[in-house]
């Protein structure tokens, strides 16, 4: 009896163990199935996310393409609008004359090349009361408008500056002539030309094409036809369409607006107006547009400056001969927000070379190169060796932009540049 009871209990325990085992096993199978389901679900989710990312990426890429296309369309529309807007702009040429009977050389070229007398009226402002020069100008009749600076009184000049009397008269004449142009004749813009300048065939096209930039970009305050380093051997004559921004005011055929004159007229200097206008107080970090190949060339060896720089530099300036259709070109690359980043990137990605390597043509690779200067003396020394003008005005080297002077030498672009951490112009370098 006791034995049967023992067997029965054992049987019951065995059945219980079997039930527990089967229950646990079943649970493990269920968990395993659910784990597989979760893993499969995760894989499907990952695949879905990857596909969605791919779709999103393609969508974003398409959107970028559409945006860029619209930007391009907007630029083109703006160009068309700008050309229409400025097509009828009247831009007078203000010729500053005194006692050169050779003013006819300048006037003949201006009349020959101007495309439309109504769009480009010529105002000749004469100082000095020189009858022979007046007679020459009057021969042009209605082709030009002659005005005469009325104040011929002697100017009170400090004793130490008596020999620079001419610079005082020139400043007085410039101030009066610009006042007449902007306030009496009420023009919005003018191109100032000295009476000893030759002009290029595309002189008018150059200024008409760049005028919209001058009006729209507040970081510009002039457009100049002159390249101070525009000598044969320092320019790319085959790229006469190239234009640059420059911190250095070039003068010698330059365009300014009435707004700028309103800013300058009340503090106009008694003398040395061109050096004065280059001072930081007047420039205010603004730049000028200047060409690769000059659109003017001076033939005035004899003058107030007594031929300063003429024999070494000015007589070697190359005057452009090929007509460039600037009004049909996209010049928006000269706008500051576009120009600066590209210019700096190009300059400081250029390989560093020494003057001697450049001179001896020992550079084995193509492309632009860079010569570094750290001091005023180093700049002047290298500039002289290369044939560049080596002087500074208010710390700015001629043609310099962000301290960088761009020129061409033996078929390549060269940048005479400070370090990338350049801190700005130092007026004591003048």
């Amino acid at each position: 009896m006791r034995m049967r009871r023992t067997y029965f209990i054992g049987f019951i325990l065995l059945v219980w163990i079997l039930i527990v085992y089967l229950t646990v096993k079943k649970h493990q199978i269920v968990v395993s199935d659910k784990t597989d389901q979760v893993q499969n679900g995760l894989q499907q989710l990952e695949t879905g996310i990857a596909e969605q990312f791919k779709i999103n990426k393609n969508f974003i890429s398409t959107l970028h393409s559409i945006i860029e296309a619209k930007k391009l369309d907007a630029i083109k529309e703006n160009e068309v609008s700008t050309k229409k807007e400025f097509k009828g702009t009247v831009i007078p040429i203000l010729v500053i004359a005194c006692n050169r009977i050779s003013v006819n050389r300048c006037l003949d070229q201006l009349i020959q090349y101007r495309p439309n007398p109504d769009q480009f009226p010529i105002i000749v402002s004469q100082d000095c009361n020189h009858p022979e020069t007046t007679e020459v100008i009057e021969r042009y009749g209605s082709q030009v408008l002659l005005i005469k600076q009325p104040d011929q009184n002697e100017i009170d000049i400090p004793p130490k500056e008596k020999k620079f009397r001419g610079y005082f008269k020139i400043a007085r004449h410039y101030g009066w002539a610009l006042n007449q142009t902007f306030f009496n004749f009420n023009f919005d813009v003018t191109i100032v030309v000295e009476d000893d300048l030759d002009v290029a065939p595309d002189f008018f096209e150059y200024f008409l094409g760049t005028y919209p930039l001058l009006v729209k970009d507040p970081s510009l305050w002039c457009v100049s036809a002159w390249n101070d380093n525009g000598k044969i051997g320092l320019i790319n004559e085959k790229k006469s369409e190239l234009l640059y921004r420059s911190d250095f005011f070039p003068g010698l055929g330059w365009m300014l607006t009435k707004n700028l004159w309103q800013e300058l007229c009340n503090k106009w200097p008694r003398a040395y107006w061109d050096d004065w206008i280059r001072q930081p107080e007047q420039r205010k970090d603004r730049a000028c547009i200047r060409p690769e190949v000059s659109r003017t060339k001076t033939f005035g060896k004899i003058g107030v400056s007594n031929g300063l720089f003429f024999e070494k530099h000015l007589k070697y300036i190359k005057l452009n001969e090929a007509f460039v259709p600037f009004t049909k070109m996209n010049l928006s690359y000269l706008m500051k927000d576009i120009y600066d980043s590209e210019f700096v990137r190009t300059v400081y990605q250029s390989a560093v070379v020494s003057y001697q390597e450049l001179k001896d043509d020992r550079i084995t690779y193509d492309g632009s190169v860079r010569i570094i200067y750290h001091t005023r003396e180093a700049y002047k020394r290298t500039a002289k060796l290369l044939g560049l003008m080596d002087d500074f005005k208010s710390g700015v080297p001629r043609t310099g932009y962000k301290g960088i002077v761009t020129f061409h030498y033996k078929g390549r672009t060269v940048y005479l540049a400070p370090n990338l951490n350049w801190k700005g112009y130092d007026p004591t370098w003048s």
Side-chain angles (χ1 to χ4, degrees):
M1 185 73 180
R2 185 176 292 177
M3 184 66 78
R4 286 181 179 178
R5 188 176 179 181
T6 301
Y7 282 132
F8 178 75
I9 293 172
F11 176 75
I12 294 298
L13 286 172
L14 183 62
V15 171
W16 173 251
I17 291 170
L18 182 60
I19 291 172
V20 171
Y21 170 77
L22 291 174
T23 301
V24 172
K25 189 68 176 175
K26 182 179 179 181
H27 179 71
Q28 288 177 339
I29 291 172
V30 170
V31 171
S32 178
D33 290 343
K34 287 184 177 179
T35 301
D36 291 341
Q37 289 175 3
V38 170
Q39 287 178 341
N40 290 335
L42 284 174
Q43 289 176 352
Q44 291 176 0
L45 183 61
E46 287 176 358
T47 302
I49 290 173
E51 287 295 327
Q52 190 62 48
F53 270 122
K54 187 176 180 181
I55 292 170
N56 291 347
K57 187 176 181 181
N58 292 335
F59 179 66
I60 291 170
S61 178
T62 302
L63 280 179
H64 277 303
S65 299
I66 293 172
I67 291 169
E68 290 302 317
K70 286 189 176 293
K71 280 183 180 178
L72 185 59
D73 289 341
I75 290 172
K76 290 179 179 178
E77 287 177 9
N78 185 55
E79 283 180 46
V80 172
S81 174
T82 297
K83 287 173 183 176
K84 287 181 180 178
E85 181 183 352
F86 296 113
K87 188 175 181 180
T89 299
V90 177
I91 307 178
I93 313 301
L94 176 61
V95 180
I96 302 295
C98 181
N99 57 1
R100 283 193 179 99
I101 59 173
S102 57
V103 64
N104 69 298
R105 175 169 165 175
C106 174
L107 292 176
D108 285 346
Q109 293 172 17
L110 288 171
I111 292 170
Q112 176 187 354
Y113 295 136
R114 68 174 171 176
N116 185 337
D118 293 327
Q119 187 173 20
F120 298 101
I122 298 173
I123 303 169
V124 183
S125 179
Q126 187 191 358
D127 199 3
C128 309
N129 274 349
H130 190 250
E132 291 81 2
T133 302
T134 302
E135 183 182 348
V136 170
I137 298 168
E138 288 179 337
R139 290 177 194 162
Y140 289 90
S142 61
Q143 295 182 96
V144 306
L145 172 63
L146 173 62
I147 59 176
K148 293 186 176 182
Q149 199 283 111
D151 185 1
Q152 297 299 311
N153 294 320
E154 285 299 318
I155 302 174
D156 185 23
I157 301 171
K160 293 182 179 179
E161 298 183 84
K162 292 287 186 182
K163 62 180 179 180
F164 301 120
R165 181 181 303 276
Y167 291 105
F168 286 80
K169 289 186 175 182
I170 288 173
R172 180 175 66 181
H173 185 194
Y174 262 86
W176 180 85
L178 287 167
N179 277 336
Q180 291 298 306
T181 303
F182 289 122
F183 301 141
N184 187 18
F185 300 126
N186 201 30
F187 288 110
D188 293 322
V189 63
T190 191
I191 300 168
V192 183
V193 175
E194 287 82 359
D195 58 356
D196 61 346
L197 290 181
D198 289 323
V199 301
D202 61 351
F203 174 87
F204 294 93
E205 177 74 3
Y206 169 70
F207 282 109
L208 191 59
T210 53
Y211 174 62
L213 296 172
L214 182 62
V215 173
K216 292 190 172 185
D217 187 345
S219 71
L220 293 173
W221 71 328
C222 91
V223 176
S224 174
W226 179 257
N227 176 1
D228 279 288
N229 290 316
K231 297 191 295 185
I232 296 172
L234 292 176
I235 55 173
N236 188 342
E237 296 181 52
K238 296 179 181 179
K239 291 286 187 179
S240 57
E241 74 278 6
L242 287 178
L243 305 179
Y244 303 86
R245 293 175 68 97
S246 174
D247 294 323
F248 189 89
F249 170 76
L252 293 178
W254 58 289
M255 179 165 60
L256 73 157
T257 64
K258 184 177 184 176
N259 287 338
L260 177 63
W261 182 243
Q262 287 173 326
E263 175 189 325
L264 299 177
C265 65
N266 290 327
K267 55 178 180 175
W268 192 247
R270 296 183 67 236
Y272 321 114
W273 72 267
D274 48 351
D275 284 345
W276 172 85
I277 210 171
R278 292 165 178 145
Q279 293 172 357
E281 295 82 4
Q282 280 64 252
R283 188 170 70 83
K284 297 179 180 177
D285 292 325
R286 292 173 291 193
C288 294
I289 300 296
R290 62 95 176 170
E292 171 73 14
V293 185
S294 289
R295 265 59 185 187
T296 56
K297 180 176 180 177
T298 179
F299 57 83
K301 178 179 178 180
I302 305 301
V304 173
S305 65
N306 294 317
L308 183 66
F309 298 127
F310 190 87
E311 288 299 327
K312 286 186 177 181
H313 294 281
L314 302 183
K315 75 176 184 180
Y316 299 107
I317 297 293
K318 169 70 177 178
L319 182 66
N320 183 60
E321 298 173 358
F323 187 92
V324 177
F326 286 108
T327 58
K328 298 179 181 178
M329 297 171 62
N330 181 4
L331 302 180
S332 61
Y333 71 91
L334 290 162
M335 301 288 279
K336 183 177 177 63
D337 56 346
I338 300 174
Y339 187 92
D340 283 12
S341 57
E342 179 63 21
F343 179 70
V344 170
R345 183 190 65 81
T346 301
V347 171
Y348 289 99
Q349 283 185 356
S350 300
V352 176
V353 300
S354 67
Y355 160 74
Q356 204 61 46
E357 288 175 314
L358 183 66
K359 178 179 180 296
D360 296 343
D361 205 13
R362 289 191 279 116
I363 304 169
T364 58
Y365 39 84
D366 297 327
S368 59
V369 295
R370 174 167 47 110
I371 299 176
I372 299 175
Y373 71 90
H374 299 283
T375 64
R376 175 181 180 274
E377 290 68 29
Y379 176 88
K380 291 180 72 69
R381 182 170 58 252
T382 305
K384 283 181 179 179
L385 290 171
L386 290 164
L388 301 167
M389 295 192 79
D390 67 334
D391 60 326
F392 295 83
K393 300 292 183 180
S394 294
V396 184
R398 292 181 186 264
T399 78
Y401 189 65
K402 296 186 177 296
I404 302 159
V405 170
T406 305
F407 60 99
H408 282 77
Y409 193 87
K410 294 188 175 181
R412 73 172 73 236
T413 302
V414 183
Y415 302 108
L416 184 53
N419 282 336
L420 185 56
N421 63 352
W422 179 71
K423 303 300 182 185
Y425 296 109
D426 184 349
T428 65
W429 283 24
S430 297

